[in-house]
Every structure is written in C-alpha cells, then in structure tokens.
Amino acid sequence: MDKTILIATKNRYKIQEMAPILETYGYKLQPADLPKIEIQADTLQEIVAYAARHIPALDKPVIIEDAGLFVKALKGFPGPYSHYVYQTIGCKGILQLLQQATDRTAVFQSAIALKTPTGDTYIFTGETMGKITAEPRGTGGFGFDPIFQPQGTDKTYAEMTLQEKNLYSHRAKATKKLAEFLTAKS
Ligand code: ITT
C-alpha cells in the first residue's frame, strides 16, 4: 500500500520536523506543488479548513499546516498573522513590544488539515505553552524559535535539536494526532 502523504507548504523546516514523526508510523511525507490559499481568520483551524476546501482532492492524502505564536500580554498577537509579523518586525519586534510586560506567557499553536482522496477534510491541532525569553537564544530551527521557551525546559526551541523540538512542539503534537488517525483509518 502506498503510504505517501503530500504537504502543501513553502516552508522546508515543517517538512524536516514532520517527516520523521510520520515515518515512525510508516508514512512518507512529500512536498506537493500546490498554490497557497490563505485567508485571514481569527483561528488557525479556519485558515487550514478553508485552504483544504479549496485545493483539489488528489490520489494521495494532502495536508496543510498553519502555525502561530499567541502572546498573552499582546492579547494573542501575532497569532494567525505570525507569518507577516515575522517578515516585518521579527523576533526583535516582539521583544520590543514586550519590554514593559511582566507576563511573558505565550502559546504556540499548530493546525493541520487533511484532505483525503475522497475529498473529506479533517483537522488536527496541537499547542505548547511557554514563554517569550528576554533575548533571542540559539541558532536552530526557524521563525520565532530563538525567543520561545516551552514549559518544562530551560531551552528555547532554537537551542534544541530537531528531535528535542519534536518532544515539545505544537507541530509534533498535531502531527502525531494526524498519524494516529491515519493509522486507525487504514
Ligand atoms: P507555509 O508555506 O506552510 O504557510 P509559513 O512559513 O508561512 O509556511 P506558517 O504560516 O504556518 O508558516 O507560520 C507562520 C509563521 O510563524 C512562520 O513564518 C514562522 O515565522 C512562525 N512559526 C511557525 N511555526 C513555527 C515554529 O515551529 N517555530 C518558530 N516559528 C514558527
């Protein structure tokens, strides 16, 4: 049986993180050259559900993943706008916005939409609580990794190996739910 899953993303780090998890369940993750359909919405679930509805069903399962960093003192900003905010003000900008903040709590969320060859759509989510550090630390990973420290460790995502990040990450949690669902369904 073909156990390939296609992923519509321009972000190679996502593939690097998700592929080893899916591999432990026997699935092979491959990039798919599909147009990126992204609406603005308040939740990541809505964003990926919309994208999944608007991509064609293929002969293999297709997934779309969207992630965001929700900072409590900023009332959830940048959340669904994380891509744009990273491109514009970046980690430095988030740290500046938090200069006066006493509460540095944040949560990283991931939502994955699965579109099956029959056209059905399912959503899987994962979240990791943590805090925004005082300064960027570490060189690994991507995006806001240097400023996000998950609960239960003193390292930022950027100070972790890929395997370590997968022990804590929002994306790893959502990916495991997807893998378990596909395994139970097959
Ligand atoms: P897609 O093509 O899959 O949409 P993207 O890079 O735009 O890739 P997202 O929209 O899911 O990814 O994520 C928005 C931004 O949030 C992303 O550009 C990063 O800056 C940040 N981000 C997402 N996941 C992250 C992670 O695990 N660690 C650090 N930053 C992350």
Side-chain angles (χ1 to χ4, degrees):
M1 198 180 116
D2 183 9
K3 292 187 94 178
T4 304
I5 301 171
L6 300 173
I7 178 165
T9 181
K10 298 271 174 274
N11 185 329
R12 67 185 171 90
Y13 293 100
K14 289 188 180 180
I15 302 180
Q16 276 174 18
E17 290 180 11
M18 295 166 86
I21 298 169
L22 291 168
E23 214 174 284
T24 62
Y25 290 82
Y27 292 97
K28 194 165 180 283
L29 188 62
Q30 271 182 5
D33 193 14
L34 289 167
K36 186 168 165 171
I37 304 159
E38 213 163 271
I39 51 155
Q40 282 194 355
D42 291 343
T43 68
L44 304 178
Q45 287 94 317
E46 284 173 76
I47 294 170
V48 290
Y50 182 89
R53 276 202 302 278
H54 288 83
I55 57 166
L58 300 177
D59 59 345
K60 297 177 177 53
V62 187
I63 58 169
I64 297 141
E65 194 261 1
D66 203 45
L69 176 64
F70 296 74
V71 181
K72 195 171 169 196
L74 305 178
K75 306 204 183 317
F77 181 83
Y81 309 106
S82 293
H83 180 96
Y84 182 71
V85 171
Y86 181 74
Q87 300 293 335
T88 50
I89 63 171
C91 290
K92 222 173 137 188
I94 296 290
L95 293 179
Q96 269 166 13
L97 291 173
L98 287 180
Q99 256 169 9
Q100 310 299 327
T102 44
D103 182 354
R104 303 185 73 89
T105 310
V107 56
F108 240 125
Q109 291 184 356
S110 161
I112 299 174
L114 163 70
K115 182 147 187 165
T116 67
T118 50
D120 298 320
T121 301
Y122 302 90
I123 312 286
F124 307 91
T125 58
E127 66 171 38
T128 297
M129 302 292 301
K131 66 168 192 182
I132 304 297
T133 53
E135 284 173 0
R137 297 199 320 255
T139 53
F142 69 101
F144 296 112
D145 279 352
I147 59 166
F148 184 76
Q149 180 179 321
Q151 255 174 22
T153 169
D154 53 12
K155 289 183 184 176
T156 65
Y157 273 168
E159 291 175 306
M160 298 180 179
T161 62
L162 193 140
Q163 291 78 4
E164 272 179 291
K165 183 178 173 187
N166 273 348
L167 294 177
Y168 291 95
S169 99
H170 51 300
R171 181 168 299 104
K173 289 172 188 161
T175 306
K176 280 180 199 149
K177 289 185 193 169
L178 162 75
E180 271 153 29
F181 174 83
L182 288 169
T183 306
K185 208 165 167 272
S186 65

